[in-house]
Amino acid sequence: MEPIRILHENVIMDPGGIEALLMNVYRHIDRDKVQFDFMGHRPDHAFYEDEIEKLGGKIYRTPKFSPFPGGYRKYIGAVEGILKEHPEYKVIHCHAELNLWPLKAASKLNIPTRIAHSHNAKTTVNLKYFFFLYEKMFIKKYCTHMFMCSTPAGEWTFGKKAVSEGRVKFIKNGIETERFEFNEAVRAEKRRELGLGNKLVVGHVGRFMEQKNHTFLIDIFSEIHRLKPDSALILISDGRLMDDIKKKVKDKGLENSVMFLGNRGDVNELMQAMDVFLFPSLWEGLPLTGIEAQTAGLPIVMSDVITPEVCITENTYMMSLKKTAEEWAEKVLEVCRDTKRINTRQQIIDAGFDIRTTAAWLQDFYIRHYNEES
């Protein structure tokens, strides 16, 4: 018997929180029963595509989404074309922030199960922001199910009433806890590999985009480095603002203390090498990296705009973005002095953030709804 096929819609399957969650689930479902395929609107070959195809998934590309008439028609036409050519899709699971339009196309073509999944709590006020507001007005009309990674994310996309009435399902951002649990031997080896010696190592994982607030992160580290010169900063991922941040690092004379590591497949091991995780985001849904860092036993100093639903261990500390970089730096150093690294994996599992729990629930959901429509 062939597995059922689920179509996931996202921008591009490059490293990021949404993509990491999708790949974690994909690796842990029973692929003899459920297969994932992916639809995106970027022309580039994505980081995860080779693994997706190895696991049995398909990749569909559409023209880049544009809210303007010409681009919109091309995008919608391509989405409808894919859905018409593949009637096997009875479930479409949409993850991109502007996901009203693929859901609308799926509704027009009577795809029976249409999931809108909110992964972010807010965005900055720019041209795209007004399209988000438009989407929020109509998205409940075109989806059959609403998922959220956190209460703020659900309220942002679907409204407080829908969340309070229990109409939005909280899907926990599960991780492979065994890969991230604290390991002293891995820590020592990774620090040797990176030449970190006995330095205080501050870490961050996140795309170089406005949301992650790298410019303030560099200001904070500059103060940390002033107070403790024997310190280093590890930055993992890439993104369109990377060159701007590299310039800022150079202007502050920190080139020898900041490591830009790009996209990596060993984030779990790199977290072992860190001493503290710094997370001054401007907004988030429920950040997967926050769960990973806690599983690695790291203390986290994060902005207080991040939902407290991410706080599982006692070593999570929230700071206002109104505080100065110096105040943040002092808090980071205080946390490092007061925290003893321990194995926290069981706490993460008990809180429901192991990927096996998430994957099992989603697999059951997909199969149940697919079979109801067969």
Side-chain angles (χ1 to χ4, degrees):
M1 184 175 175
E2 289 293 312
I4 66 171
R5 304 199 77 92
I6 308 300
L7 183 62
H8 288 275
E9 177 271 342
N10 193 36
V11 176
I12 185 170
M13 288 302 292
D14 275 341
I18 296 171
E19 296 77 14
L21 173 65
L22 282 172
M23 293 307 297
N24 280 344
V25 173
Y26 194 15
R27 296 175 189 124
H28 287 84
I29 58 171
D30 184 343
R31 292 186 297 279
D32 290 330
K33 296 179 179 178
V34 179
Q35 260 295 345
F36 285 0
D37 299 324
F38 297 84
M39 178 174 66
H41 61 89
R42 294 285 169 81
D44 314 278
H45 183 86
F47 181 86
Y48 288 119
E49 283 191 25
D50 291 342
E51 182 181 0
I52 288 168
E53 291 175 344
K54 185 177 179 180
L55 293 175
K58 301 172 185 175
I59 306 290
Y60 302 105
R61 286 187 173 84
T62 70
K64 187 172 181 180
F65 173 80
S66 169
F68 301 106
Y72 170 79
R73 283 193 293 270
K74 288 181 181 177
Y75 172 76
I76 287 295
V79 172
E80 290 184 359
I82 290 166
L83 295 177
K84 287 176 181 177
E85 290 171 16
H86 297 278
E88 66 269 24
Y89 296 123
K90 294 182 172 64
V91 179
I92 181 170
H93 192 157
C94 296
H95 303 271
E97 287 182 304
L98 289 168
N99 60 22
L100 169 65
W101 288 272
L103 287 166
K104 186 176 180 180
S107 177
K108 176 183 175 182
L109 296 172
N110 298 314
I111 305 298
T113 300
R114 306 180 299 275
I115 305 162
H117 197 148
S118 180
H119 293 274
N120 259 319
K122 64 166 289 186
T123 186
T124 50
V125 179
N126 52 24
L127 180 61
K128 192 185 289 186
Y129 178 82
F130 297 100
F131 292 103
F132 286 138
L133 294 182
Y134 178 84
E135 173 174 300
K136 281 151 58 78
M137 292 170 58
F138 295 101
I139 195 165
K140 291 194 289 290
K141 177 180 178 181
Y142 295 110
C143 68
T144 58
H145 297 80
M146 297 175 282
F147 289 175
M148 63 183 181
C149 69
S150 68
T151 299
E155 291 177 347
W156 160 248
T157 302
F158 307 115
K160 290 185 177 181
K161 185 180 180 187
V163 172
S164 66
E165 291 177 348
R167 292 188 285 131
V168 187
K169 175 65 181 177
F170 185 3
I171 306 297
K172 292 188 176 181
N173 287 353
I175 68 164
E176 296 173 302
T177 54
E178 70 279 7
R179 293 182 64 239
F180 286 88
E181 68 178 316
F182 179 56
N183 185 307
E184 188 67 62
V186 173
R187 171 179 167 82
E189 175 57 33
K190 215 63 181 176
R191 287 176 74 95
R192 278 195 298 272
E193 178 186 316
L194 296 172
L196 294 170
N198 293 317
K199 290 180 179 179
L200 172 73
V201 179
V202 180
H204 178 82
V205 182
R207 284 178 181 162
F208 287 82
M209 55 194 297
E210 184 181 5
Q211 172 185 355
K212 301 300 182 180
N213 206 10
H214 282 88
T215 186
F216 186 50
L217 191 153
I218 298 302
D219 289 337
I220 297 168
F221 179 70
S222 180
E223 291 297 323
I224 292 171
H225 196 261
R226 179 179 64 81
L227 296 168
K228 189 173 178 58
D230 194 23
S231 57
L233 173 64
I234 291 176
L235 298 175
I236 303 169
S237 197
D238 62 11
R240 60 184 179 83
L241 297 180
M242 181 187 279
D243 289 343
D244 294 341
I245 300 304
K246 284 183 175 180
K247 183 178 184 302
K248 180 163 187 169
V249 167
K250 184 176 181 180
D251 290 345
K252 285 184 169 288
L254 295 169
E255 305 102 302
N256 295 327
S257 300
V258 179
M259 304 176 72
F260 292 84
L261 299 185
N263 288 325
R264 299 280 295 239
D266 59 346
V267 173
N268 56 319
E269 296 181 353
L270 290 168
M271 282 188 172
Q272 306 298 325
M274 300 172 187
D275 294 301
V276 61
F277 197 82
L278 184 55
F279 213 8
S281 294
L282 296 174
W283 72 88
E284 291 283 352
L286 191 146
L288 201 71
T289 50
I291 304 298
E292 292 169 347
Q294 288 177 85
T295 310
L298 284 168
I300 306 177
V301 181
M302 69 177 81
S303 61
D304 62 4
V305 301
I306 300 175
T307 176
E309 289 166 321
V310 78
C311 301
I312 300 168
T313 71
E314 62 182 13
N315 296 324
T316 54
Y317 305 88
M318 291 192 161
M319 291 280 289
S320 169
L321 290 171
K322 295 178 181 178
K323 298 283 189 181
T324 65
E326 184 177 3
E327 289 173 303
W328 273 72
E330 289 171 350
K331 183 64 177 181
V332 168
L333 293 175
E334 174 193 326
V335 164
C336 289
R337 286 193 300 268
D338 296 344
T339 302
K340 181 181 179 182
R341 197 83 169 261
I342 61 171
N343 191 316
T344 55
R345 182 188 175 198
Q346 194 57 49
Q347 291 182 60
I348 307 302
I349 294 172
D350 292 345
F353 284 93
D354 188 274
I355 190 58
R356 292 160 188 81
T357 303
T358 306
W361 189 91
L362 283 170
Q363 177 173 306
D364 177 71
F365 176 92
Y366 294 141
I367 292 172
R368 182 159 32 89
H369 286 273
Y370 191 96
N371 290 337
E372 284 174 0
E373 302 300 334
S374 296

